[in-house]
Structure formats: structure tokens, C-alpha cells
Amino acid sequence: MDTATTDAYLRRLGVERPARPTPDALRELHLRHLRTVPFENLSVHLGEEVVLDEKRLVDKVVGAGRGGFCYELNGAFAALLTALGYDVTLLAARVYGEGGRLGIPYDHLALRVRTDDGDDWLADVGFGSHFHLPLAFGERGEQRDPAGVFRVAESGADAAGVRGGHEAADAADLDVLREGRPVYRLEIRPRALADFTAGAWWHRTSPHSHFTRSLVCSRVTEDGGRITLSGRRLTLTAPDGTRRERETGSDAEVLGIYRDEFGITLDAVPTVRGGGTGGRARTGQ
């Protein structure tokens, strides 16, 4: 990323360029990203290609004013952090599903970020409802966050009886837990962005992927809650977890929510793939 693109990215987030890659600056960037850049899977249903190329991802977030899902959001965020002087490592994860089953390899992309004091942090702006602030990567106790209590723990054996990584504790796979329940399993071996191509393809095309079965556009609100548009259902989640849901009415109302709440301008209401033809996204800032 060049200086002009980095500055444009920071303008979208509404933050000043940090003087140094500090933990405090990382926390601010992480939270502002969650509040500003929506977690959304509209490309899946608009017939848009998802290409895991750094420039394409940054162009989508900065130039087109869009969001994306994990590979896109964390891929773009990694580029921004690197441009700001952070040492960033891409990590692969498998998400826990029903019955505690782990998802496909390269199911999720998360980031290990080293700050100027030598500490490592787990950053993730691409999981939807998740921690608001980076987690201390090496901490194994509970970590309190506005979104709940999280913990990073060494993982046990998988369904095949294999313990991921190596027997050495500093190389073992890690489970990220929220309120005591495992969310995803991290492999701590560094990965390249292109490694996630097959996972992104599966999530974009498989009938078993939840991304192909539903529409979602969601972001953290300024008060620490969340606003989510799932198809035509609007959900407002308060910081204490209470929810208010309602069905939206006209197409104009739905398009207005995309525009006013998420900064995304569409020419028609998107529909789930196979259920009709969605609209085409236009520049959304």
C-alpha cells in the first residue's frame, strides 16, 4: 500500500495516522474497523468475484466503500497494519460448528500482530460478532472485552485424535473461546493470502456454506452494540445483548438501510443466490 491509499483507508476509519505501531493504536484501529467496515457477504449473491489479492481487497474496502467476509476484511486490515509498521502474520483457523465439529481447512483468516513493544496480539475484524479489541496472544487466562469474556487456550486432540501443531506448547494449535465455548481453532504456522483461495471458493460456492444460504450485513455500533441486516430482517443488538428485530418494508427502505447504516449503495435489493437476481453494488461511501 502506498501513502495515499493508506491515508484514504485511515480516513474511512476516521482515525489519524499513528506515530508508531503501538498497542493503543492497534486497539483504536481494530475497533474503528469493526464500527466502520461492515461484515457482509453481498458479493456472494451479487455474482461478484472474490479475489484474494491485496490490492483488490484494499480497493474494495477503500475505493468502493464496501465490506466483506473474513478473508477480505482481515486481508485488507493486514495490509493497512503492515503499511503502518506492524509486523503481521496471517493465521488459518477452523470454525467450530454444530456438535463441536471443526469446519474445513482455511475456514477462517485471523491475524497475529506484533507491536513496537514486542508483544503479540490476536486481531480479527472479519468474524462478525466477536471481540471488539485485540486479544493478548500469549495470555492463557480470561480476557474481558466489551463483547464478553474471551480466552486463548492450547487445543486438545481433534476428531481424529491428533493434536495440531507439535507437542511443544509454543507450536500447538490454539482454541479461541467466548464465554467458555470454543469459537475457532487457530494454527499458528504463518500463511500467505493465496493459501486461503480454496476456503474462500468453498464459502462462496458450496450449498453447505452459510454464506450461500443467507444474506448478512453487520457492524458494531458506536455504543458497543450491533446492527445487522439479514435479508430483509433488521436486528439491533444493545451492548447488554438484548435484541430488537423487525421486518423491513419496501425495497426503498432496505436500500436506505444499506446506504445510511452501512455506507453501501445498491441499485436493487440483493436476494439469496438462486432466489432471484440481486442488484449491482456501486461505490458506497
Side-chain angles (χ1 to χ4, degrees), residues 82-265:
T82 300
L84 295 174
Y86 291 95
D87 182 5
V88 182
T89 302
L90 308 187
L91 300 180
R94 300 174 68 187
V95 180
Y96 281 94
E98 294 181 5
R101 292 189 298 273
L102 287 166
I104 63 169
Y106 300 99
D107 199 11
H108 181 62
L109 165 62
L111 307 176
R112 182 175 185 170
V113 182
R114 178 159 294 177
T115 49
D116 65 349
D117 58 1
D119 285 342
D120 286 345
W121 300 85
L122 176 63
D124 192 345
V125 296
F127 198 75
S129 181
H130 203 34
F131 49 79
H132 292 185
L133 302 170
L135 300 180
F137 198 90
E139 173 59 50
R140 297 294 174 259
E142 291 185 344
Q143 301 188 54
R144 297 193 174 275
D145 181 87
V149 178
F150 291 82
R151 188 161 64 90
V152 180
E154 293 177 25
S155 61
D158 61 16
V162 177
R163 184 172 181 264
H166 304 283
E167 290 305 314
D170 61 354
D173 290 351
L174 299 173
D175 281 341
V176 178
L177 300 92
R178 179 180 185 180
E179 307 296 350
R181 300 183 63 179
V183 178
Y184 55 65
R185 177 167 292 189
L186 281 170
E187 300 174 8
I188 64 172
R189 174 183 170 184
R191 301 293 182 179
L193 187 58
D195 292 340
F196 296 87
T197 299
W201 175 85
W202 187 90
H203 278 298
R204 188 172 59 86
T205 62
S206 172
H208 301 291
S209 165
H210 58 275
F211 289 121
T212 63
R213 300 197 303 266
S214 62
L215 278 158
V216 64
C217 190
S218 182
R219 67 171 179 84
V220 173
T221 54
E222 292 295 326
D223 64 359
R226 178 169 287 276
I227 181 170
T228 303
L229 184 61
S230 301
R232 289 181 175 269
R233 173 164 293 186
L234 182 66
T235 302
L236 301 175
T237 305
D240 64 2
T242 57
R243 296 157 60 99
R244 291 187 291 126
E245 298 184 1
R246 69 174 179 87
E247 292 295 325
T248 55
S250 66
D251 285 4
E253 181 185 7
V254 176
L255 295 173
I257 293 170
Y258 276 120
R259 181 187 63 246
D260 299 337
E261 298 294 345
F262 302 106
I264 298 173
T265 301

